Amino acid sequence: MRDILPVLERWYAARVPFGLATVVTVSRSAPRDPGAAMAVGPDDEVVGSVSGGCVEGAVFDLAQEVAAGGEARVATFGYSDEDAFAVGLTCGGEISVLVRQVTQESDPAFGAVAASVAAGDPVTVVTVVDGPAPRGATLAVWPDTVAGTLGAAGLDVAVTADARGELALGATGLRHYGARGERREDAVTVFLHSFAPPPRMLVFGAIDYAAAVARIGAFLGYRVTVCDARPVFATPKRFPDGVEVVVDWPHRYLHGTDTDERTVICVLTHDPKFDVPLLEEALRRPAAYIGAMGSRRTHHDRLERLIDAGLTDDELARLRSPVGLDLGARTPEEVAVSVAAEIVALRWGGTGTPLTATAGAIHATGSA
């Protein structure tokens, strides 16, 4: 979608209707991921791809029909597809494609969404795929505002809250709700397409605890990097697939790495020569969470060293140490759950209190 947005923005500004096909689900060895898109515009111009060529002809026909004023459609293509187009994916996978018309009247927020994507600003576009809500209806959700509607106020509120959660992770996929936004029902299916890179988790110290934290960080949707100055420990085979492993002095690596307000920094080095210069760097830069492992004695010694290094009270107040929530954790995996729980609680303002001891809404609804 990012690749074709400049063309779509030009069509949109010229008030030319176009048909936009978006992959909303995939299974097995499907060639494209959810969010892949193809559009058909004026003079049957085509941009983008939903399958790398397997079903493009069938999708072109659908998009052409929808662009001319047809209703939004969902089509599913698989290896043994026997629908009206008699086409399928030769790779043996399966994809479902939502095709809808885009005009300034049907999607008044499209221009603002395209501008946000071009500027690198996070935004999630929610589109109704199926159910009693109008298929193809869209809701654009930014961190602090929304535009559009899915057809019901309750549905808009629930989806807005969830979309902001997914936006924080850069996640894309289907979600299910009741007609008025009930989360435990599946009458309405929507596709959340987040335009934001996954947040980063930087784990320092290539120990067993780091492997467990890296694993749960990847599970939560972070792009995880593990860094350690000791090459004998910082080896990719000790960590989950997809986790970047870097051999470098931690403070030097962090100094040359961009962070933002979503970045999570976990300091598990547990050695003053590593963690003090690293925390000096970390506590003076943007980050959502900075946690450091160690006993209370280690924590107090570390604070004294950081004070001697010139850090202020406000900077030191950002440090979560000892790291994690009090779960009684013992094993590396249990400690990783404790750390992850603290990260999630800090992100959303949770207290860590058992829900049985609280009252009121369980899920924050966010603000529209």
Side-chain angles (χ1 to χ4, degrees):
M1 176 67 87
R2 291 179 185 273
D3 294 338
I4 67 175
L5 266 175
V7 176
L8 305 189
E9 194 171 15
R10 173 165 51 83
W11 292 346
Y12 185 82
R15 294 185 172 274
V16 177
F18 58 89
L20 177 62
T22 305
V23 175
V24 294
T25 61
V26 301
S27 65
R28 300 188 300 277
S29 56
R32 301 298 302 274
D33 292 328
M38 182 180 104
V40 177
D43 300 322
D44 293 337
E45 182 181 353
V46 179
V47 292
S49 170
V50 294
S51 72
C54 300
V55 300
E56 253 66 358
V59 175
F60 171 84
D61 290 341
L62 271 177
Q64 190 181 45
E65 175 187 329
V66 169
E71 294 184 353
R73 300 270 301 276
V74 175
T76 299
F77 304 96
Y79 181 70
S80 58
D81 205 315
E82 296 179 356
D83 67 9
F85 297 101
V87 296
L89 295 179
T90 56
C91 60
E94 183 176 281
I95 64 171
S96 291
V97 180
L98 170 68
V99 187
R100 66 185 181 94
Q101 185 195 60
V102 178
T103 66
Q104 292 195 9
E105 292 71 31
S106 67
D107 193 348
F110 187 89
V113 168
S116 291
V117 174
D121 297 328
V123 60
T124 293
V125 179
V126 186
T127 309
V128 175
V129 175
D130 201 7
R135 178 177 285 164
T138 61
L139 180 72
V141 181
W142 289 267
D144 56 0
T145 188
V146 298
T149 179
L150 303 180
L155 182 60
D156 289 347
V157 169
V159 170
T160 295
D162 291 350
R164 285 182 174 143
E166 301 296 354
L167 185 56
L169 294 173
T172 288
L174 293 180
R175 298 294 182 270
H176 306 277
Y177 300 87
R180 292 183 295 276
E182 301 89 343
R183 285 187 172 83
R184 290 178 295 279
E185 299 183 16
D186 58 2
V188 179
T189 301
V190 301
F191 180 65
L192 276 68
H193 192 177
S194 295
F195 293 92
R200 297 200 67 182
M201 173 182 280
L202 305 176
V203 182
F204 295 96
I207 61 177
D208 289 345
Y209 290 95
V213 169
R215 187 175 298 110
I216 201 166
F219 176 76
L220 290 175
Y222 288 91
R223 180 164 70 92
V224 182
T225 298
V226 175
C227 175
D228 197 302
R230 302 165 295 181
V232 67
F233 295 113
T235 60
K237 66 181 181 181
R238 299 185 64 234
F239 296 93
D241 292 341
V243 171
E244 179 187 28
V245 180
V246 174
V247 179
D248 199 351
W249 279 82
H251 71 283
R252 184 169 60 192
Y253 174 75
L254 182 58
H255 181 75
T257 300
D258 290 333
T259 63
D260 60 26
E261 287 73 13
R262 301 184 302 153
T263 303
V264 166
I265 299 173
C266 297
V267 179
L268 312 181
T269 46
H270 206 254
D271 184 331
K273 71 174 178 290
F274 291 124
D275 58 19
V276 171
L278 172 59
L279 287 170
E280 284 186 64
E281 178 70 32
L283 292 169
R284 289 170 170 156
R285 60 165 51 230
Y289 175 91
I290 303 169
M293 177 175 281
S295 66
R296 297 193 189 281
R297 180 176 178 178
T298 298
H299 169 67
H300 289 305
D301 176 72
R302 183 188 290 134
L303 281 182
E304 291 298 325
R305 293 172 184 267
L306 291 171
I307 291 170
D308 291 343
L311 271 78
T312 67
D313 289 344
D314 287 343
E315 290 168 340
L316 292 173
R318 301 177 63 203
L319 178 61
R320 315 291 289 194
S321 174
V323 70
L325 297 186
D326 180 13
L327 304 182
R330 293 290 185 272
T331 68
E333 290 74 20
E334 289 173 346
V335 170
V337 171
S338 168
V339 173
E342 185 175 45
I343 291 170
V344 173
L346 188 63
R347 180 197 299 159
W348 300 116
T351 64
T353 304
L355 290 174
T356 54
T358 65
I362 294 174
H363 302 283
T365 58
S367 60

